[in-house]
Structure formats: C-alpha cells, structure tokens
Amino acid sequence: MASSNNFSTATTTTTKDDDYDRTTIRKILSTSRTIALVGASNKVERPSNEVMKYLLDQGYQVIPVNPGLAGQTLYGQPVVASLSEISTPIDMVDVFRNSEQAGVVMEEAIAIQAKSVWLQIGVIHPEGATKARAAGLDVVMNRCPRIEIPRLGIVTPAAVEEQQKESGS
C-alpha cells in the first residue's frame, strides 16, 4: 500500500482561487457523511486509492466512481460509472481528475445536487467553481482531505461513533 507519508509531507501552492479559510474546509469535512470519489483506482499506489481507504477508515461512506471499473468493488464498495448512477444523496464529490476534466465533473455534481465539490491537489477549475458556488455548492480546490482532516483536527464520523460508544449513547 502507498505510504501515507506522501500526504503528510505534501505542500500546496496557494492562489487566490484556492485560498480557503479553515471554516469552509472544516464545514465540508465535518458535515459530510457520503462522498462520491470520482477517479477511484484499484491500484494501491495511486493517491485516489489511498485517500479512499483513509476516508473509509475515518467512517465516511465512500462511493467510488470510475467507468472503467464499474461493476467491480473497491474496499467492499461497489464502483459506479458516473455520478448520475448514484441514488443516495451526496454530501461531497471528491475529484481525482485533471483540471481540464474537472469542469464536467463539477457540472455533474451540480446536476445531482451534491452539497460540495472537492478538487484534489493540483486540480483547479475557476469557471467550474464559479458555477458550482452559484448553484449553492461549497467548493475547495487544490487540497486533499487526507491532509486537511489531521491538520485541522476534524472530528470524523468514526470519531463521533467512538465517542458515542464511550459515552454509552
């Protein structure tokens, strides 16, 4: 499996379009429960594979999206070909596609009424972000939840579940 050290040492270049306050990032990661991961890979050396496993381990429901793997499973989760095939409401669309393709994915996220779109490190699409925000979606670009969750100390669904078990709720 790929080393998580790649994520802990990763850096991002900040531009005007991706200079998010911690409040927006914290809101998305602490309120999201169901995440569609576009560009999911069955190759363990790929960042999308490691991030998917990490998000699952943190207690999120992750729906992998990849037309080439549709019908297969990744970490026990059925892979779908497109966002439109998902019948459950999506809180966050996590995009592992290049910047050029991200605009189409953002339009699909708007169409399925996702609550937010998260573009991974190196993925920036200002026009798509403008459209998504105008449609009411929260948008983060050029960031990785695998980095942001520990950096900001986000309380994930798994942590909430553990706290509830400990308190007997």
Side-chain angles (χ1 to χ4, degrees):
M1 173 162 219
S3 167
S4 62
N5 290 338
N6 295 335
F7 292 99
S8 62
T9 60
T11 59
T12 58
T13 304
T14 302
T15 67
K16 182 179 180 206
D17 287 324
D18 71 352
D19 188 20
Y20 305 102
D21 63 43
R22 291 177 180 204
T23 305
T24 301
I25 293 172
R26 189 177 300 280
K27 173 189 170 192
I28 292 170
L29 293 174
S30 33
T31 61
S32 293
R33 294 296 175 264
T34 304
I35 299 170
L37 195 140
V38 177
S41 176
N42 59 358
K43 297 177 182 171
V44 295
E45 67 273 11
R46 293 281 180 103
S48 63
N49 185 285
E50 183 174 347
V51 170
M52 179 177 171
K53 180 162 183 353
Y54 176 81
L55 292 171
L56 286 166
D57 289 347
Q58 297 306 307
Y60 295 98
Q61 176 187 3
V62 181
I63 302 167
V65 180
N66 182 323
L69 300 176
Q72 298 178 36
T73 59
L74 291 176
Y75 299 108
Q77 308 304 307
V79 182
V80 297
S82 67
L83 291 175
S84 64
E85 292 182 19
I86 301 170
S87 59
T88 187
I90 299 298
D91 297 314
M92 180 174 109
V93 175
D94 190 2
V95 182
F96 281 89
R97 301 296 300 268
N98 66 38
S99 294
E100 200 172 280
Q101 296 170 333
V104 172
V105 177
M106 294 172 95
E107 289 176 10
E108 291 172 358
I110 293 167
I112 65 162
Q113 300 178 343
K115 294 179 183 173
S116 64
V117 178
W118 189 291
L119 304 184
Q120 286 293 323
I121 293 172
V123 183
I124 300 171
H125 198 288
E127 297 88 19
T130 299
K131 287 180 184 178
R133 287 185 186 112
L137 281 69
D138 289 316
V139 177
V140 171
M141 297 185 287
N142 197 30
R143 295 277 192 267
C144 179
R146 170 70 180 91
I147 295 170
E148 299 300 327
I149 289 169
R151 182 178 76 87
L152 296 176
I154 302 295
V155 178
T156 63
V160 170
E161 186 177 302
E162 186 63 30
Q163 290 169 356
Q164 290 172 343
K165 284 180 185 175
E166 289 174 3
S167 69
S169 304

